[in-house]
Amino acid sequence: MILIIDDNPKSIKALSLIIRDFGQVIFATSGQSGIAMTMKTKPDLILLDVEMPGMNGYEVCRQLKADAATRNCSVIIVTSHSSVDHEVAALEAGAADFITKPLNAPLVRARVKTQLLVKKQADELHRQVEQDGLTGIYNRRYFDQQYAQEWRRHQRQRSPLGLALIDVDFFKAYNDHYGHQQGDECLRQVAKGLHSALRRPGETVARYGGEEFAVILPYTELGEAQKIGLWLCESIRDLQLPHAQSEVAAHVSISVGLASCVPDGRSLPTSLLSDADDALYKAKANGRNRAVVSDRVID
Ligand SMILES: [Mg+2]
């Protein structure tokens, strides 16, 4: 999606016609409304007029680049001034490129095409940084970042934050028996199963380590965590992946440790993690293939 920000409807029309082959084009006629629309729609590219009443294009660009929510949208500055100074001002404001009026259609198309390609590659890189290569779900790096962020949010809102740590039962024996390729496939299936067990927005499942997974559960008290623990176990049981070496089931199963707390000034993110880890330890000690919330055992 491409956003055109220009105070002149004729300019918007002319630009739209030139770039219509590149996908959906939306527009705003002032800097303020352009910033609001960027927040809402996160366009891939913004074509930004410099000469606008109120907030000019440079200022709009600076504001977009200063905000983490809009920083990743590429901006091409469009202006009727074709001096080096203006070009430098555009780049210093954070623009990716610079186009002068009167518009030269092939040149505009070439520059737009290049920036869309750069954006696509940047998005792909971004995805790879957050994604676990084997299972396709979020990786540990993303989990750590998201967990810290959710911790602060729940602290501000004085809301309960839940956490689940999950371990695949007898996974080493599974690998030894079925081979590493099948082991990898098992982890992919488990990741998919866990993902499908979650029902609310913001619930984030990540690969935490080898055969360990973690789920962030926003606004979740212990009672709710208990239900979610059961669903997670069921979702893996329902996969019915044969596991000849398991001592607790004929199929692949998981042990889940859950914890919840209302973050306050005295508690630390690591304390909730270690609560969940203790619960996971108990789930294993009590026979695996089950979810344990604090001191309660659910079969
Ligand atoms: Mg203008």
Side-chain angles (χ1 to χ4, degrees), residues 127-146:
R127 198 178 58 73
Q128 284 176 13
V129 166
E130 295 180 340
Q131 199 181 48
D132 173 53
L134 178 67
T135 60
I137 60 174
Y138 289 119
N139 60 19
R140 174 71 176 267
R141 176 208 292 259
Y142 181 82
F143 171 85
D144 288 343
Q145 190 186 317
Q146 194 67 14

Side-chain angles (χ1 to χ4, degrees), residues 6-8 49 51-52 101:
D6 197 313
D7 60 312
N8 183 347
D49 180 33
E51 294 85 17
M52 294 189 289
K101 295 178 192 174

Side-chain angles (χ1 to χ4, degrees), residues 16-196:
S16 306
L17 280 174
I18 294 172
I19 60 168
R20 64 184 167 183
D21 295 343
F22 292 111
Q24 193 189 353
V25 179
I26 56 174
F27 61 87
T29 52
S30 75
Q32 287 292 3
S33 61
I35 289 173
M37 204 174 269
T38 305
M39 292 270 193
K40 217 172 97 190
T41 61
K42 304 277 158 61
D44 297 307
L45 179 63
I46 299 167
L47 297 175
L48 177 58
D49 180 33
V50 170
E51 294 85 17
M52 294 189 289
M55 198 190 295
N56 74 28
Y58 298 134
E59 184 51 35
V60 173
C61 192
R62 268 191 289 274
Q63 288 203 17
L64 291 174
K65 293 298 161 183
D67 191 332
T70 52
R71 186 174 296 154
N72 291 332
C73 301
S74 299
V75 175
I76 297 180
I77 290 266
V78 184
T79 174
S80 42
H81 297 283
S82 63
S83 73
V84 171
D85 285 352
H86 282 87
E87 198 162 339
V88 168
L91 298 176
E92 276 180 356
D97 207 348
F98 180 89
I99 295 174
T100 51
K101 295 178 192 174
L103 298 170
N104 174 308
L107 188 70
V108 170
R109 276 198 286 271
R111 297 223 153 138
V112 165
K113 192 176 169 186
T114 300
Q115 286 312 321
L116 287 175
L117 187 65
V118 169
K119 176 66 167 47
K120 204 172 152 193
Q121 287 166 342
D123 286 350
E124 174 61 21
L125 266 180
H126 203 76
R127 198 178 58 73
Q128 284 176 13
V129 166
E130 295 180 340
Q131 199 181 48
D132 173 53
L134 178 67
T135 60
I137 60 174
Y138 289 119
N139 60 19
R140 174 71 176 267
R141 176 208 292 259
Y142 181 82
F143 171 85
D144 288 343
Q145 190 186 317
Q146 194 67 14
Y147 179 56
Q149 199 174 314
E150 288 291 1
W151 180 272
R152 288 192 297 271
R153 189 163 71 96
H154 285 72
Q155 188 171 356
R156 276 199 304 276
Q157 300 175 357
R158 296 187 172 80
S159 306
L161 175 64
L163 189 65
L165 289 180
I166 298 147
D167 207 27
V168 179
D169 296 329
F170 301 106
F171 185 69
K172 193 185 171 304
Y174 185 96
N175 254 340
D176 290 345
H177 185 72
Y178 294 99
H180 284 279
Q181 264 187 335
Q182 189 58 36
D184 287 354
E185 182 54 26
C186 172
L187 292 177
R188 274 193 284 270
Q189 293 295 326
V190 168
K192 212 189 274 181
L194 295 175
H195 191 77
S196 71

